[in-house]
Amino acid sequence: MTDKPSRMQALYAWLDERLGLSTIYKVVLDRKVPKVNWWYTLGSATLFLFTMQVITGIFLTVYYVPTPDHAYDSVNYIMQDVSFGWLVRGIHHWGASFMVLFVFLHMLRVFYMGAYKYPRELTWVIGVLLFVLTLGMGFTGYLLPWNQRAYWATTVGTQIAGTPPIIGPWITRILRGGEEISALTLSRFFSLHIWMIPALMALLIAVHLYLVIRIGISNPPSKDE
Amino acid sequence: MNEELKKKYWERYLRLKHKGVKFYPDVVYKDLVVSFALFLLLVGLAAFVGVKPEPPVDPNDTSYIPRPEWYFLFLFEFLKFIPGELEWVGATVIPGLAILVLLLLPFLDKNPHRHWSKRKVGTGVMTAIVLAMVGLTIRAVVTTPPQEEGPVALSLPEQIALGQELYSIHCAECHGPDGEGGEIQGVEGLEGVVLKPINSQDEMYTRSDQTLYNIIAYGQQDLGMPPFGRAYGGELGPAEIKAIVTFMRYTWDDRVELPAEAQGGGMPTLGPDEVPSYEEHVEPLVKRYCVSCHRPGKKNNNYLMTSYDEVMHSGDHAPVIIPGDPDNSILIQLIQRHELDFSRPMPPTKALPDDVVDIFVRWVAAGAPQTAAEADQIEAQQGGGAAPATPQP
């Protein structure tokens, strides 16, 4: 007579029957991949940074107020008075720089290894879109602390975006929500920064990862290939 | 890519995959190591480097040098090489085309080879672009002058201390060092005007922080108070005006409790046998009671008090301080309310409290030391028995 399955095993079997856990394990984790080197960790490191930005960002919205009257003081409050607020903001601040850096390095890795070629063209295209959106996160997030650096960088940034003839002034007005940087600019950037761009990014990351798993990790190319 | 090449690719890939490793644990292990290292790095940066404090927005401060986030610096620098009328090409068309080429790269690049040595043009161009970006970023960092910034007061005690200092410089000459008001003396154009106190319950209970802010920024121009806000032609930015309001509120409003760290209003305390020094004891008093008039651009017989050197050596009747001889020092004579032929007693409106005068007298008598270390040395000599202060039995 065989051992009766333990309670844990029974629970797992019950969940597996409904969720297909062992299929997920087989497809996602227990798959074979070509031998790869440390450069291949740049993608997962970027995903880790994105996750950190999401988590710390969500905590920051608890106290952050996106209005000209309160934005600066609320950030100051997070840094001075909220327990571990300095840590959450510090990670979000530095994580933003690292995110841009790692997306870029990941892209270079894929470029130099020719991994954007057949059959991974779509993975690359989505990756470039994610790169542009990451820069958008950097640009919109920079304004939110509402300090001198933020205000003047955004003034110049939106001005540069408005340099093309004919449509230029229109672009600047759209970005600023008016002629000048104001409460409307701040609420626009806030909404872009915490909802619109991250939601789009999460969607694209999901497709990106699906493609990576479906097609498989590219192999480091050799000369005769 | 034709069907035959595709087939060859898959054959090769499946062979390598078969000879390869399991995603879990081999690849996952590497990923976790790198992610964990990054996590430690981020926590370390947040804890030991932190986020540089910046002053709040001031749209009227045109001296501010705009700087974008570091990863946009290369573009900023690149634009400097483009003539003004073509700026829009460099700012939008070129980056836009670069992104477009990146997006379409797999379809533009028909070369079937993957190894870099067989794609020398592509990898060469990319390397050149990356090096140019790095070079432009470095150039931008090196050529951008550092931003001149005043101190940024973040915590409440810091803000109160900054407000106290700014109040003493900009407000005290008319409103008095403690907001007590009275008759204005020695201020051009306002001589003899009598001001009501601004530290009273009436004032504090009926004026909100925003009202106080507006009064300081815009002034009360019909009543003779000039605007202090930069937006109206004054010298102060929003952060500075806010600090003054915070100082007033926490010092004079009896409904608000002064935080323990800010108790004493930044005023020095002096032990009975301690030798005062300029930096520790005298400077805070000078800032509070004297500097509002004794700074450049005011009527003060050219006696300036913004640094130790000025306090010791400047003025039409210099020296104002004779180290070791308080009785013959003009500064001491004036704060002890003696009338001299070239000056009335100082400060003009109200005598200094006795304990404040006492600190000045003891400081000059001890030789007017600048640093606390010098004062300690003098104290040690005095206590060392060279000149016994008290008769021995």
Side-chain angles (χ1 to χ4, degrees):
Chain A
M1 202 179 120
T2 53
D3 290 334
K4 248 178 80 178
S6 73
R7 262 160 198 255
M8 283 308 290
Q9 281 169 325
L11 178 65
Y12 179 80
W14 190 91
L15 287 173
D16 186 30
E17 200 180 341
R18 285 152 184 86
L19 293 171
L21 293 177
S22 47
T23 315
I24 295 177
Y25 174 77
K26 241 180 271 166
V27 172
V28 176
L29 293 174
D30 195 37
R31 65 197 156 100
K32 281 215 118 173
V33 293
K35 255 204 166 80
V36 292
N37 55 37
W38 285 92
W39 291 111
Y40 283 72
T41 58
L42 287 168
S44 70
T46 311
L47 179 64
F48 170 74
L49 287 168
F50 178 76
T51 313
M52 288 295 284
Q53 292 304 93
V54 169
I55 293 169
T56 51
I58 286 172
F59 276 109
L60 288 175
T61 62
V62 174
Y63 298 100
Y64 178 76
V65 184
T67 64
D69 284 347
H70 299 294
Y72 183 83
D73 290 338
S74 65
V75 173
N76 197 6
Y77 180 74
I78 290 170
M79 294 300 282
Q80 300 281 327
D81 298 316
V82 177
S83 312
F84 293 105
W86 59 270
L87 181 63
V88 174
R89 162 114 196 276
I91 291 177
H92 199 76
H93 172 89
W94 288 101
S97 282
F98 277 88
M99 176 96 189
V100 173
L101 185 67
F102 273 71
V103 171
F104 189 68
L105 291 177
H106 177 48
M107 191 178 81
L108 287 182
R109 196 280 290 169
V110 171
F111 176 81
Y112 281 107
M113 290 190 174
Y116 56 90
K117 299 183 179 218
Y118 174 85
R120 299 185 182 80
E121 298 95 328
L122 262 187
T123 326
W124 168 269
V125 170
I126 289 168
V128 174
L129 293 176
L130 281 166
F131 174 56
V132 174
L133 290 175
T134 303
L135 292 180
M137 287 299 277
F139 185 66
T140 50
Y142 205 46
L143 179 68
L144 302 187
W146 203 247
N147 54 35
Q148 282 286 73
R149 199 179 237 281
Y151 179 87
W152 291 103
T154 307
T155 302
V156 173
T158 49
Q159 198 179 310
I160 286 175
T163 46
I166 306 167
I167 54 161
W170 181 73
I171 295 175
T172 302
R173 265 206 307 283
I174 294 258
L175 285 171
R176 292 186 181 171
E179 298 300 328
E180 299 285 329
I181 300 218
S182 65
L184 278 177
T185 325
L186 185 57
S187 61
R188 241 162 234 231
F189 275 39
F190 177 69
S191 171
L192 279 166
H193 188 79
I194 73 150
W195 268 120
M196 300 181 194
I197 303 180
L200 200 54
M201 283 180 84
L203 189 73
L204 291 176
I205 289 173
V207 181
H208 197 73
L209 291 179
Y210 166 76
L211 289 171
V212 169
I213 293 168
R214 184 185 132 75
I215 301 172
I217 301 173
S218 68
N219 55 295
S222 56
K223 267 190 173 178
D224 58 335
E225 201 169 330
Chain B
M1 196 175 237
N2 60 42
E3 293 306 315
E4 195 188 335
L5 278 172
K6 282 183 185 175
K7 207 175 137 209
K8 264 174 83 179
Y9 172 79
W10 279 113
E11 273 170 13
R12 188 189 163 80
Y13 182 73
L14 291 175
R15 201 169 63 243
L16 285 166
K17 188 167 157 174
H18 189 70
K19 282 199 300 185
V21 293
K22 282 282 178 68
F23 180 71
Y24 173 83
D26 292 68
V27 176
V28 171
Y29 154 75
K30 280 191 177 126
D31 289 343
L32 286 179
V33 167
V34 172
S35 292
F36 188 64
L38 263 179
F39 178 74
L40 291 182
L41 186 62
L42 287 178
V43 172
L45 284 168
F48 298 111
V49 182
V51 184
K52 192 173 168 289
E54 299 281 339
V57 170
D58 180 3
N60 297 296
D61 180 6
T62 47
S63 71
Y64 198 86
I65 305 161
R67 283 154 307 167
E69 191 64 296
W70 65 269
Y71 41 80
F72 288 124
L73 278 177
F74 78 95
L75 194 58
F76 213 55
E77 194 67 18
F78 173 64
L79 291 179
K80 292 188 190 162
F81 292 93
I82 293 186
E85 69 274 17
L86 288 178
E87 193 193 4
W88 65 280
V89 178
T92 51
V93 177
I94 293 175
L97 280 177
I99 297 290
L100 195 67
V101 168
L102 273 183
L103 264 177
L104 299 179
L105 183 66
F107 314 105
L108 298 173
D109 179 5
K110 303 281 190 212
N111 184 343
H113 294 290
R114 286 159 204 263
H115 196 265
W116 65 269
S117 64
K118 295 191 173 166
R119 301 160 46 222
K120 283 192 176 134
V121 176
T123 50
V125 169
M126 181 61 109
T127 307
I129 291 173
V130 173
L131 287 178
M133 284 166 72
V134 173
L136 284 170
T137 306
I138 292 171
R139 200 187 131 97
V141 172
V142 174
T143 56
T144 308
Q147 180 66 40
E148 276 180 36
E149 274 163 13
V152 184
L154 294 175
S155 70
L156 190 53
E158 279 171 357
Q159 282 188 29
I160 294 172
L162 176 66
Q164 162 86 71
E165 198 175 321
L166 292 166
Y167 177 87
S168 300
I169 293 171
H170 297 282
C171 319
E173 59 178 328
C174 294
H175 291 286
D178 299 305
E180 68 276 16
E183 191 183 335
I184 298 175
Q185 292 186 23
V187 180
E188 260 182 289
L190 292 167
E191 197 69 48
V193 174
V194 177
L195 290 185
K196 64 177 176 174
I198 54 169
N199 59 3
S200 66
Q201 219 174 46
D202 274 9
E203 292 284 327
M204 283 295 121
Y205 279 41
T206 58
R207 277 147 180 80
S208 68
D209 285 357
Q210 189 62 50
T211 305
L212 292 173
Y213 181 98
N214 292 342
I215 292 174
I216 297 169
Y218 181 72
Q220 302 264 281
Q221 300 184 22
D222 288 345
L223 297 174
M225 176 172 170
F228 286 86
R230 211 176 271 133
Y232 304 105
E235 303 177 43
L236 302 178
E240 289 161 313
I241 298 177
K242 266 189 185 166
I244 294 175
V245 172
T246 308
F247 156 72
M248 292 168 72
R249 184 66 69 198
Y250 278 86
T251 316
W252 299 333
D253 192 327
D254 56 19
R255 296 167 302 182
V256 182
E257 201 169 326
L258 197 63
E261 302 96 308
Q263 293 286 349
M267 285 300 110
T269 51
L270 188 62
D273 296 320
E274 201 181 344
V275 171
S277 68
Y278 175 76
E279 286 175 359
E280 207 176 325
H281 303 93
V282 176
E283 192 175 18
L285 299 174
V286 167
K287 276 187 177 165
R288 178 155 186 179
Y289 294 106
C290 320
V291 155
S292 63
C293 298
H294 290 280
R295 61 188 176 114
K298 300 279 169 179
K299 213 177 83 186
N300 48 30
N301 284 340
N302 293 315
Y303 182 50
L304 308 181
M305 301 182 79
T306 63
S307 70
Y308 179 76
D309 272 347
E310 284 179 358
V311 169
M312 298 304 291
H313 303 301
S314 71
D316 295 344
H317 305 282
V320 171
I321 291 167
I322 304 166
D325 189 359
D327 292 342
N328 287 311
S329 295
I330 296 169
L331 178 108
I332 301 299
Q333 292 170 353
L334 290 176
I335 62 175
Q336 287 176 336
R337 316 307 293 170
H338 296 293
E339 189 87 32
L340 300 181
D341 52 3
F342 53 82
S343 174
R344 59 190 152 184
M346 285 288 149
T349 43
K350 192 181 157 200
L352 294 176
D354 287 345
D355 52 338
V356 170
V357 174
D358 183 51
I359 292 178
F360 275 104
V361 172
R362 281 165 62 186
W363 174 63
V364 175
Q370 181 176 7
T371 63
E374 285 166 21
D376 287 346
Q377 221 174 353
I378 294 167
E379 202 175 314
Q381 281 166 7
Q382 284 177 350
T390 47
Q392 300 294 315

